[in-house]
Structure formats: structure tokens, C-alpha cells
């Protein structure tokens, strides 16, 4: 079946450093979504990417969808302590999404 | 506007006991989902309901059953709980199978421990 993998599993950064998480699907996706889950919380939808090569920005967050629509990345510039949490990508299926394993980000002040 | 409401928030069961996790959404969404979250495993889909009257298996359906009671409510039942079902369970809903610029809306989760 469809699989979605993320790397790294964990990342510790100093506040102000950049952070990137990568997402890879075993199948071509029609679209991909990103979610953030704060510690002890539930996943919250961030963004959806649909087009091959698409790049979207939300303040310090930059999302990319690969040309082959099988991979994606999330880059955070100059991390802040409020960025702490786990970031999930989710690849589209029929009426459902398959979530990646997540990248847990810790930001050291 | 409550969004997606899950009950209970916490539960401890003994092996072999049964229980039902309740989920209700007030956003008029067509699709609803049950996921479980385990450390290092991400979110794994248990069952989903694309629309009222339909349910389908996800990645890890064994040991669970679901009921789409109406458009608002989607329950998850553990008939005979096992320690391997210790997890955090999330219910989610979406308007268009998750498509579009809103994605899934998740409930706050149920933390289940089976001893």
C-alpha cells in the first residue's frame, strides 16, 4: 500500500537556526498537506500543495512540492520557541490521507 | 463552534473489556476518520467514512469496528481491548475527503491505556 516517510525523525536546533523536514511518498500524489501538532495537542492543518514544483510561503515557513509529485519539504527560517512540535506531511489517497511518520522539532532557547 | 468533539479524553481499560469512543462534528462535513497515534509511528488510519452511510477500512482496522450513526457522529468500538491498543486516538472530519484549503479538522484526542 501507499507509504509516506519523513526524515529526520527528530531535530534539535538552537533558536534562530533554520530547520527542514522532508517527506517522500512511495506513489505519485495528487496533492500533499502539512500539519503541525504541538506537544500534548492535536494536528492542525497548515497548507495544501497541488501543483508539480509548487512553492508556498507562510511567514517563516516555506513549503515545496517536488516536480514528480512524490516528495515535499517544509523549511522554517530562523526558528522560534513557538515552532516546537511535530510536523506531519499527509499524502492524498481516495477520500483519505496517509500521514507520514512526522518530524519532532525541539528549539533550544 | 466546537468543531470536532471526542469523548472520553482519558480511559483505562482492562484486557478484554470493551468500550466505544465517541466523535461528533458540527461543521456539516461529509467525511470522518479515526486515527491512532503511537510514538515513532505517526498517525495511522483505522477506519474512515467518506460519507454518511459508508465506512471503509484503513491501514490498521483489526480489533476495531465503527458506526457512522448520522452525518455528525462517527464512533469507534473496541470489542475486546488488548494492550497493543494502548494509544492516542484522534477523530477527524473534512468537507471534501480532506481536499481543499482546509484539510482535516481533528478532535483533541482520547488517551487510552489497556492494562
Amino acid at each position: 500500500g501507499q507509504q509516506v516517510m519523513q526524515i529526520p525523525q527528530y531535530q534539535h536546533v538552537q533558536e534562530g537556526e533554520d530547520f527542514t523536514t522532508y517527506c517522500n511518498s512511495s506513489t505519485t500524489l495528487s496533492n500533499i498537506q502539512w500539519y503541525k501538532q504541538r506537544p500534548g495537542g492535536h494536528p492542525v492543518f497548515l497548507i495544501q500543495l497541488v501543483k508539480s514544483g509548487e512553492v508556498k510561503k507562510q511567514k517563516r515557513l516555506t513549503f515545496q512540492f517536488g516536480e514528480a509529485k512524490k516528495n515535499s519539504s517544509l523549511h522554517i527560517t530562523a526558528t522560534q520557541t513557538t515552532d516546537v512540535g511535530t510536523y506531519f506531511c499527509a499524502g492524498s489517497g481516495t477520500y483519505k490521507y496517509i500521514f507520514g511518520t512526522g518530524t519532532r522539532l525541539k528549539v533550544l532557547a | 463552534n466546537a468543531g470536532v468533539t471526542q469523548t472520553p479524553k482519558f480511559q483505562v481499560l482492562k484486557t478484554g473489556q470493551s468500550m466505544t469512543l465517541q466523535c461528533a462534528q458540527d461543521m456539516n462535513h461529509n467525511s470522518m476518520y479515526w486515527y491512532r497515534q503511537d510514538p515513532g509511528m505517526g498517525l495511522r488510519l483505522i477506519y474512515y467514512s467518506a460519507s454518511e452511510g459508508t465506512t471503509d477500512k484503513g491501514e490498521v482496522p483489526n480489533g476495531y469496528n465503527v458506526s457512522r450513526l448520522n452525518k455528525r457522529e462517527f464512533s469507534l468500538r473496541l470489542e475486546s481491548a488488548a494492550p497493543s491498543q494502548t494509544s492516542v486516538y484522534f477523530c477527524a472530519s473534512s468537507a471534501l475527503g480532506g481536499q481543499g484549503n482546509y484539510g482535516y479538522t481533528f478532535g483533541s484526542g482520547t488517551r487510552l491505556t489497556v492494562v
Side-chain angles (χ1 to χ4, degrees):
Chain A
Q2 181 184 8
Q3 291 187 327
V4 179
M5 301 299 293
Q6 276 183 260
I7 54 170
Q9 189 173 2
Y10 301 97
Q11 184 82 58
H12 294 182
V13 298
Q14 286 291 138
E15 189 175 20
E17 291 182 338
D18 292 357
F19 160 77
T20 304
T21 174
Y22 300 90
C23 178
N24 292 286
S25 170
S26 59
T27 59
T28 301
L29 302 168
S30 59
N31 63 75
I32 195 161
Q33 296 181 346
W34 285 90
Y35 291 77
K36 177 183 178 180
Q37 183 179 23
R38 288 198 162 93
H42 58 275
V44 174
F45 174 77
L46 294 176
I47 206 162
Q48 175 172 282
L49 304 171
V50 178
K51 300 176 184 176
S52 170
E54 187 171 14
V55 178
K56 286 188 176 181
K57 292 189 175 184
Q58 288 181 349
K59 297 183 180 179
R60 295 178 294 103
L61 278 61
T62 302
F63 304 85
Q64 289 189 311
F65 201 8
E67 295 290 340
K69 301 184 77 172
K70 293 183 72 174
N71 57 73
S72 182
S73 65
L74 158 59
H75 179 83
I76 302 178
T77 303
T79 55
Q80 300 175 358
T81 54
T82 53
D83 295 325
V84 164
T86 301
Y87 293 85
F88 292 98
C89 63
S92 58
T94 304
Y95 293 110
K96 63 186 185 293
Y97 280 76
I98 302 300
F99 280 75
T101 46
T103 296
R104 184 183 294 179
L105 173 64
K106 278 195 172 181
V107 179
L108 308 172
Chain B
N1 186 355
V4 177
T5 303
Q6 287 183 239
T7 56
K9 293 190 183 303
F10 301 92
Q11 184 71 50
V12 178
L13 289 178
K14 293 183 178 179
T15 297
Q17 286 185 320
S18 63
M19 79 162 294
T20 299
L21 280 63
Q22 306 286 354
C23 176
Q25 52 92 7
D26 62 2
M27 296 172 290
N28 201 34
H29 285 168
N30 289 317
S31 304
M32 298 186 73
Y33 312 82
W34 277 104
Y35 285 87
R36 61 177 288 174
Q37 184 173 33
D38 304 293
M41 302 291 286
L43 291 154
R44 292 183 293 169
L45 182 64
I46 305 171
Y47 271 93
Y48 67 103
S49 171
S51 60
E52 186 179 358
T54 70
T55 60
D56 286 285
K57 295 179 180 179
E59 304 165 81
V60 289
N62 291 343
Y64 305 95
N65 284 301
V66 291
S67 295
R68 184 73 184 265
L69 304 169
N70 47 56
K71 190 171 185 179
R72 291 186 63 248
E73 299 172 286
F74 189 38
S75 63
L76 178 72
R77 184 160 178 84
L78 286 70
E79 292 291 348
S80 179
S84 60
Q85 293 179 305
T86 293
S87 187
V88 180
Y89 291 85
F90 286 102
C91 176
S93 70
S94 70
L96 299 169
Q99 308 283 342
N101 291 320
Y102 300 98
Y104 286 8
T105 301
F106 282 85
S108 57
T110 296
R111 283 151 180 79
L112 175 67
T113 302
V114 183
V115 298

